[in-house]
Amino acid sequence: MRFSYSTIAALTVGIISIIMLVYYYSVEKDFRQNFKTISAQFNSLQKQQEHISYGVLQGALFAYYNQDSIARDRNSIKTVVFSLYQHPLIQTEKHYEPLKETISHLKIEIETYIELVEHYLMINAGIKNSMVFLSSHEVKSLEYFQPGSKSVRAIHDIIDSVVQAKRLLDDSYLETLSLRIQQFESESYTKEQAEYVAQLLIHFKYLQKNYSLYINIFSKIMNSSLRNNLEKAQQQFEQLSEDDITYLNTLAISLFVLIFMAILTITILLYRLQKENIKLVNLHEQLNYTLQHDVLTGLLNRHSYEISVSQLDKPVILLLNISRFKLINDFYGVDSGDKLLIEISNILINKFNQEAGTCYRISGDEFAIVFEGLKTQEVGKIANGVSELLTNRNYIIADVEQIISINMAISDTKPLLETADMALKQLKLRPIGNLIHYSKELDVKEKIRSNIEITQILHDALNENRIIPYYQPIVDLKTREIVKYEALVRLKLKDGTILSPIQFLPVAQQTPLYHEITRVMISKTIAYFSDKTYRFSINFSMSDLEDEGIINTLIDHFTTYPDIVSRMDIELLESEMLTDMDKVKNFIFELKKLGCGISIDDFGSGYSNFSNLTELNLDAVKIDGSLIKEINHSPEHFKTVKAIMSLVNEMDVESIAEFVQDEASAQILSELGVTHVQGYFFGKPDEFIVEL
């Protein structure tokens, strides 16, 4: 058999391509594995160093903190840095010699860091023992000395100084400790008193001797440059890896060119061999398939759906989509999203090959299954089976096992797709499960008309200066005196009727008018309190923080009324705050520098995250009114508020309870340690401030 030159060329290029492909796979696999391993070791070192620092900080703040985790991380960080140093890539590749030297220095720095930690643990143990001893024996002073005596006061003052120094991690509280110990030691005592005093002096002198060293070591640990050096070492590794990446990219391009040449040559050969009529037949079949099917999943497409449904007498549609599919595309990439769609399509194909129902991909992540002659209740049972089939399994998305959730709607009302889609949108607005049946009550056209009317009312009210603040007093629970007011937005209609926020804010939040309302509230509230002495607060949402115009308005008013900032609080809506903690922290930091107070509003409303609460530099926490209204009738609400107050008291910030409606609730809140209250029992919102 004789081969043409073009055939030989195609075979040669193909063989070379296969050889290069195998070589590329081997080189790329080794590089990926080495890069993954070394990056993981750097990440592990940083994580362990952070754990150690966190453990040291916890040990300094809490007397009974278990320090076993510090010991484990201490041993682990030694093991990891040694393993990193011994990695074959770093030991054998000349290109990575600078990194080898950097890691060698890191080993020494980590050893020094671990020595500091061990020294800290040793001193911290003694200091904790002394603190626990002094705290537990302070009350015994009354067994040996008369209450209010000089000795009792001296013991209390010394222990209080030590406690303050420990609590604030500040040894300046102990500057006069030596003199006070000498004065205390110089007093005359009975035998029993002397024995008791001797025990105290042992711990007083131990703290006097070691606390400054303890603070010094603690500061060195917390301010260690190890973390920065670990990050620099990892950056150095990534920079050195760029040469390898460049080599792999060059190899990949060469391989691509070869494969392209092979494919091009083979395509030319096939083109010459194929008969024109066969090409036309193939083209016709391909066009016909593309017209009826979705290219990605192989399911019938929307065009096929519209033709099929028009021919059915009593069709019922089950419309479903994947919850938060856009986030999967945005975070993991379109390729991962496409693989998920293909997998779900295959599951639906396998199921409905055996059952009545035709599957379609309508668009994006939206699928439809159409049934003929079934009742909606029967389709509902099928839908439950589909839900279990799709959600009770793990999907591999970007090499990570994940589960998905779906939303489903059933409709037998034409136009099927429009009515089912309408129901699906309502399900997303008020999730009460993952399946909804269409009914005429779900028609959103009337709601849209109402929203348009409210939007026009809002627009007119802003233009005519009818957005006004009402002020509700906030009362000190102990003294029952008003200490500040919260500004609450109201809308005044042309006939003088006052609308509450629930009647217009949900619509406003969907339009740019929402930020205009916030700007009006800032301007009017600050101007109103500019000549008064009370503190006051204004509500901010997460979207307000993202609006530069609102922030600039706030700063401009601080410039106009420089004395007002120290009497103003910003209340952040806790349920929205979780979307961007870094932005919230920066906002709080900047306003606190100016002297403004910061509170969290509606805490406990359903999205509460206690760890977020402790990360913020807050002045007050406002407990959501839904928990307070039933606190004297609901054990669950009582327990929730008690848990919140436990954390708030530990943070030493003010607490404000909303919706307090009676004296019984006020008494319960007082017993739980709540410092301030707000509600109709103490004062209703009004256009002008009222005295209690």
Side-chain angles (χ1 to χ4, degrees):
M1 180 182 291
R2 297 183 61 184
F3 295 95
S4 65
Y5 289 117
S6 57
T7 302
I8 295 173
L11 290 173
T12 301
V13 173
I15 292 171
I16 295 174
S17 299
I18 292 172
I19 295 173
M20 286 193 65
L21 182 62
V22 172
Y23 174 72
Y24 174 79
Y25 173 78
S26 175
V27 173
E28 193 272 343
K29 179 181 178 182
D30 289 340
F31 172 78
R32 184 174 65 250
Q33 183 62 40
N34 288 331
F35 188 89
K36 182 179 179 181
T37 300
I38 294 175
S39 294
Q41 289 173 328
F42 273 119
N43 290 334
S44 178
L45 287 173
Q46 294 178 38
K47 183 177 180 180
Q48 289 156 1
Q49 190 269 337
E50 289 174 355
H51 283 180
I52 291 173
S53 296
Y54 179 76
V56 168
L57 180 59
Q58 291 287 83
L61 294 175
F62 302 105
Y64 298 103
Y65 179 75
N66 190 335
Q67 298 179 343
D68 292 345
S69 61
I70 298 178
R72 289 195 298 270
D73 289 325
R74 174 192 61 196
N75 295 332
S76 179
I77 198 171
K78 290 180 180 179
T79 302
V80 173
V81 74
F82 179 80
S83 175
L84 177 61
Y85 183 77
Q86 293 297 325
H87 194 282
L89 181 70
I90 296 173
Q91 289 294 330
T92 59
E93 292 293 332
K94 187 175 181 180
H95 176 58
Y96 290 90
E97 278 290 333
L99 181 61
K100 180 180 178 182
E101 182 177 353
T102 299
I103 296 174
S104 179
H105 291 311
L106 275 177
K107 285 176 59 183
I108 298 172
E109 186 175 0
I110 286 174
E111 290 173 358
T112 303
Y113 180 79
I114 293 303
E115 289 176 0
L116 273 175
V117 171
E118 290 173 346
H119 195 182
Y120 161 81
L121 293 176
M122 179 181 67
I123 297 178
N124 189 44
I127 288 176
K128 283 185 175 181
N129 288 336
S130 292
M131 292 295 298
V132 171
F133 177 87
L134 292 174
S135 298
S136 62
H137 282 70
E138 180 182 6
V139 72
K140 287 188 176 182
S141 63
L142 299 179
E143 297 177 13
Y144 299 98
F145 301 100
Q146 289 295 323
S149 66
K150 180 179 180 182
S151 297
V152 170
R153 291 197 303 273
I155 292 170
H156 174 77
D157 290 344
I158 293 174
I159 293 176
D160 185 64
S161 297
V162 170
V163 168
Q164 289 297 330
K166 184 68 171 66
R167 179 181 300 166
L168 301 177
L169 297 176
D170 186 357
D171 59 354
S172 65
Y173 283 88
L174 303 182
E175 290 176 354
T176 62
L177 182 59
S178 177
L179 178 60
R180 283 186 285 174
I181 289 174
Q182 290 176 7
Q183 293 172 348
F184 179 67
E185 194 175 15
S186 66
E187 297 291 330
S188 298
Y189 304 103
T190 65
K191 181 179 179 181
E192 290 79 9
Q193 291 173 338
E195 291 176 352
Y196 171 74
V197 168
Q199 292 179 337
L200 295 180
L201 286 173
I202 290 172
H203 295 279
F204 288 161
K205 292 180 178 180
Y206 179 85
L207 291 169
Q208 174 193 359
K209 179 181 178 181
N210 291 284
Y211 198 80
S212 294
L213 177 60
Y214 165 80
I215 292 297
N216 184 41
I217 295 174
F218 173 82
S219 298
K220 287 182 178 179
I221 293 172
M222 300 311 295
N223 298 317
S224 172
S225 62
L226 178 58
R227 174 182 173 83
N228 290 335
N229 291 338
L230 285 171
E231 291 178 351
K232 290 178 180 177
Q234 186 170 15
Q235 292 171 2
Q236 183 183 22
F237 165 66
E238 292 171 353
Q239 291 171 356
L240 293 173
S241 300
E242 289 180 359
D243 290 341
D244 292 338
I245 294 173
T246 301
Y247 173 74
L248 286 172
N249 289 339
T250 303
L251 192 62
I253 293 172
S254 302
L255 181 60
F256 172 80
V257 171
L258 281 172
I259 293 175
F260 178 79
M261 291 174 60
I263 293 174
L264 180 63
T265 306
I266 294 171
T267 302
I268 293 173
L269 289 174
L270 291 175
Y271 177 79
R272 291 175 179 177
L273 293 173
Q274 298 299 318
K275 294 180 180 180
E276 191 66 28
N277 60 333
I278 297 176
K279 287 177 55 181
L280 292 175
V281 170
N282 290 338
L283 180 61
H284 173 74
E285 292 177 351
Q286 182 180 1
L287 290 174
N288 188 51
Y289 180 87
T290 303
L291 182 64
Q292 300 180 29
H293 293 79
D294 175 58
V295 177
L296 177 65
T297 64
L299 290 175
L300 294 170
N301 59 19
R302 182 164 183 167
H303 175 71
S304 297
Y305 161 82
E306 292 174 348
I307 294 175
S308 299
V309 168
S310 65
Q311 298 171 353
L312 299 177
D313 292 331
K314 295 182 178 180
V316 180
I317 188 173
L318 170 61
L319 186 66
L320 63 88
N321 67 11
I322 306 168
S323 298
R324 298 179 296 178
F325 179 73
K326 184 177 184 301
L327 294 180
I328 295 175
N329 269 345
D330 292 344
F331 190 78
Y332 296 107
V334 176
D335 290 343
S336 296
D338 287 347
K339 290 178 182 177
L340 177 60
L341 293 174
I342 293 170
E343 187 171 355
I344 289 176
S345 301
N346 291 336
I347 294 171
L348 294 175
I349 290 171
N350 291 334
K351 177 175 177 60
F352 290 101
N353 275 343
Q354 304 170 6
E355 299 182 18
T358 307
C359 299
Y360 303 86
R361 184 188 179 199
I362 302 301
S363 64
D365 65 326
E366 196 165 68
F367 299 86
I369 302 113
V370 177
F371 306 89
E372 166 69 4
L374 295 182
K375 296 181 179 179
T376 56
Q377 293 84 352
E378 296 174 305
V379 176
K381 294 179 180 179
I382 296 174
N384 291 330
V386 171
S387 177
E388 292 182 6
L389 191 62
L390 293 179
T391 58
N392 293 340
R393 63 190 297 134
N394 290 328
Y395 297 85
I396 306 300
I397 302 176
D399 298 328
V400 178
E401 287 191 356
Q402 298 193 30
I403 60 174
I404 65 168
S405 58
I406 61 173
N407 297 312
M408 300 181 292
I410 297 172
S411 177
D412 59 357
T413 303
K414 295 182 179 181
L416 293 181
L417 194 57
E418 180 179 336
T419 56
D421 186 62
M422 186 181 299
L424 204 58
K425 288 177 180 177
Q426 289 300 308
L427 179 64
K428 292 177 182 178
L429 291 175
R430 48 183 183 89
I432 52 174
N434 69 337
L435 176 63
I436 188 171
H437 291 253
Y438 172 79
S439 63
K440 291 184 178 180
E441 289 75 15
L442 295 176
D443 198 316
V444 299
K445 292 181 179 179
E446 178 61 26
K447 184 176 181 180
I448 292 173
R449 184 190 64 77
S450 174
N451 287 352
I452 292 174
E453 290 180 358
I454 293 175
T455 302
Q456 185 61 48
I457 290 172
L458 279 169
H459 187 273
D460 293 343
L462 283 166
N463 287 338
E464 297 170 10
N465 196 28
R466 288 188 280 106
I467 297 296
I468 58 175
Y470 267 41
Y471 309 105
Q472 185 173 25
I474 297 175
V475 176
D476 186 303
L477 190 51
K478 287 185 178 180
T479 65
R480 301 298 177 100
E481 294 180 353
I482 296 174
V483 293
K484 63 179 177 180
Y485 290 85
E486 179 183 5
L488 303 168
V489 66
R490 296 290 187 269
L491 188 152
K492 181 183 289 187
L493 298 178
K494 292 181 179 180
D495 63 2
T497 302
I498 301 297
L499 298 186
S500 64
I502 192 65
Q503 296 174 280
F504 61 88
L505 269 191
V507 175
Q509 288 171 339
Q510 304 173 38
T511 73
L513 300 179
Y514 181 72
H515 297 306
E516 292 297 325
I517 293 173
T518 302
R519 276 189 276 272
V520 170
M521 287 295 291
I522 291 172
S523 300
K524 290 190 175 182
T525 302
I526 290 178
Y528 182 78
F529 280 97
S530 63
D531 60 351
K532 297 174 178 59
T533 60
Y534 280 108
R535 290 189 69 83
F536 63 95
S537 61
I538 299 176
N539 293 304
F540 265 51
S541 68
M542 189 64 213
S543 61
D544 289 328
L545 302 188
E546 296 171 348
D547 189 295
E548 292 186 5
I550 288 179
I551 303 302
N552 291 335
T553 298
L554 188 63
I555 299 303
D556 289 344
H557 279 77
F558 286 167
T559 303
T560 305
Y561 303 100
D563 297 333
I564 204 76
V565 65
S566 63
R567 293 190 288 111
M568 179 175 172
D569 293 331
I570 297 295
E571 294 190 14
L572 301 175
L573 184 60
E574 191 268 343
S575 61
E576 295 186 1
M577 186 178 62
L578 300 178
T579 58
D580 193 339
M581 282 296 295
D582 289 337
K583 183 180 292 293
V584 174
K585 289 179 181 178
N586 184 61
F587 176 79
I588 291 175
F589 176 76
E590 294 298 332
L591 285 189
K592 294 277 283 186
K593 283 199 306 185
L594 298 174
C596 187
I598 301 294
S599 305
I600 290 184
D601 195 9
D602 294 342
F603 190 77
S605 57
Y607 300 89
S608 303
N609 187 321
F610 280 21
S611 63
N612 286 339
L613 185 66
T614 58
E615 292 178 18
L616 304 176
N617 184 14
L618 301 172
D619 297 290
V621 172
K622 180 174 283 189
I623 305 170
D624 186 63
S626 63
L627 299 173
I628 303 301
K629 286 191 294 185
E630 300 296 327
I631 194 169
N632 55 348
H633 302 296
S634 170
E636 290 77 12
H637 288 182
F638 177 84
K639 291 177 182 178
T640 301
V641 175
K642 184 177 181 181
I644 292 173
M645 284 306 304
S646 177
L647 180 61
V648 171
N649 289 333
E650 184 69 25
M651 294 172 59
D652 194 24
V653 298
E654 289 183 358
S655 51
I656 305 171
E658 299 180 298
F659 289 83
V660 180
Q661 300 179 0
D662 50 48
E663 180 62 33
S665 298
Q667 289 298 326
I668 292 173
L669 294 170
S670 178
E671 292 170 2
L672 289 176
V674 175
T675 58
H676 297 79
V677 288
Q678 177 180 0
Y680 277 23
F681 183 67
F682 292 97
K684 297 181 180 180
D686 196 274
E687 188 172 0
F688 304 98
I689 66 172
V690 295
E691 297 293 341
L692 186 64

